[in-house]
């Protein structure tokens, strides 16, 4: 049993992902969240990433990955969620997770899911940066002193 | 009337062409994926470098051979290298 992979424009919740992976028989639970880094870019900083997706094939590949992870590693539940559209710096853009009886397959499955997601799912990102430079002040007009 | 191919362009491919979608006329019997990519590259020379590194996708499925025929009404997508996560 596993939740459906999701592609959404809404914020992602680690708490909701943890609930998807809960169950008394699930002794090993691994969750990974990827966040947008507000890295420096020249004089400015990344304020957001804009994610675009080719939805139908992306969902199909996510479902294939979900199935492959459960078959290959024997985990019982997985989470495979990606946010698209504008994602601000500091916000979560992706969550993957896996839960099974023991930690080793859960770690291996989660690693497989994030690596394959980045390699095979048609999603692209573009940085949105904002300059940290303050706008230049206009020089004060010189006032000629009256002489004489 | 022959329906065109709906061409979908993402990321650097969209930037090179300046549009996310194109309706591209093809002959009734279709055209190979390679020939269609060549026509796009001739019409939009800035797309050429992106096409060299992109996957070509027909109706949501990656094309493994460029001889695959693209027929009127098909969706043909240009997928530059992916960058999710």
């Amino acid at each position: 049993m596993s939740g459906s992979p999701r592609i959404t424009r809404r914020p992602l919740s680690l708490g909701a992902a943890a609930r998807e992976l809960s169950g008394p028989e699930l002794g090993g639970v691994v969750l990974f969240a990827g966040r947008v880094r507000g890295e420096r870019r020249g004089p400015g900083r990344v304020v957001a990433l804009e994610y675009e997706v080719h939805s139908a094939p992306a969902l199909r590949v996510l479902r294939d990955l979900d199935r492959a992870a459960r078959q290959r590693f024997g985990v019982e539940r997985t989470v495979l969620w990606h946010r698209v559209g504008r994602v601000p710096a500091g916000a979560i853009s992706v969550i993957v997770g896996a839960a099974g009886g023991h930690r080793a397959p859960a770690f291996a499955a989660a690693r497989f899911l994030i690596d394959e997601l980045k390699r095979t799912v048609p999603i692209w990102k573009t940085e949105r940066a904002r300059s940290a430079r303050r706008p230049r002040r206009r020089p004060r007009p010189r006032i000629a002193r009256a002489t004489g | 009337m022959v329906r065109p191919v709906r061409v979908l362009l993402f990321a650097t491919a969209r930037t090179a062409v300046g549009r996310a979608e194109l309706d591209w006329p093809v002959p009734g019997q279709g055209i190979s994926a390679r020939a269609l990519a060549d026509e796009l590259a001739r019409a939009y020379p800035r797309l050429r470098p992106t096409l060299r590194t992109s996957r070509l996708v027909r109706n949501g499925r990656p094309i493994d051979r460029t001889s695959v025929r693209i027929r009127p009404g098909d969706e043909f997508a240009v997928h530059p290298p992916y960058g999710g996560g």
Side-chain angles (χ1 to χ4, degrees), chain A residues 14-35:
Chain A
L14 267 174
R19 283 192 292 280
E20 288 275 336
L21 300 179
S22 65
E25 74 287 5
L26 302 173
V29 179
V30 173
L31 264 177
F32 168 82
R35 277 198 173 130

Side-chain angles (χ1 to χ4, degrees), chain A residues 51-54 57 60 82 93-94 118-125, chain B residues 8 10-11 14 55 60-62 75 77 79-85:
Chain A
Y51 287 91
E52 61 182 308
V53 59
H54 191 179
R60 199 194 66 247
H82 206 298
S93 57
V94 65
K118 291 173 85 74
R119 199 177 67 80
T120 63
V121 179
I123 293 177
W124 302 267
K125 62 187 164 222
Chain B
L8 303 181
F10 295 93
R14 175 175 40 71
R55 295 176 209 205
R61 303 266 173 188
E75 181 189 279
H79 282 191
Y82 303 143

Side-chain angles (χ1 to χ4, degrees), chain B:
Chain B
M1 186 180 151
V2 176
R3 283 185 299 158
V5 167
R6 170 59 54 94
V7 177
L8 303 181
L9 303 151
F10 295 93
T12 51
R14 175 175 40 71
T15 307
V17 171
R19 294 174 61 178
E21 291 185 21
L22 298 168
D23 281 337
W24 200 261
V26 295
Q29 72 274 20
I31 184 174
S32 74
R34 166 56 50 210
L36 179 50
D38 287 346
E39 284 187 7
L40 290 168
R42 273 195 297 277
Y44 300 97
R46 290 177 59 206
L47 184 59
R48 198 178 294 275
T50 297
L51 279 168
R52 282 195 208 107
T53 56
S54 292
R55 295 176 209 205
L56 303 178
V57 175
R58 185 188 64 172
N59 298 333
R61 303 266 173 188
I63 294 169
D64 51 1
R65 290 171 296 112
T66 52
S67 59
V68 166
R69 287 198 95 64
I70 311 298
R71 300 182 186 283
D74 279 351
E75 181 189 279
F76 179 78
V78 179
H79 282 191
Y82 303 143

Side-chain angles (χ1 to χ4, degrees), chain A residues 51-67:
Chain A
Y51 287 91
E52 61 182 308
V53 59
H54 191 179
S55 296
L59 270 173
R60 199 194 66 247
V61 175
L62 287 177
R63 285 192 201 104
D64 290 347
L65 289 179
D66 176 48
R67 200 176 308 118

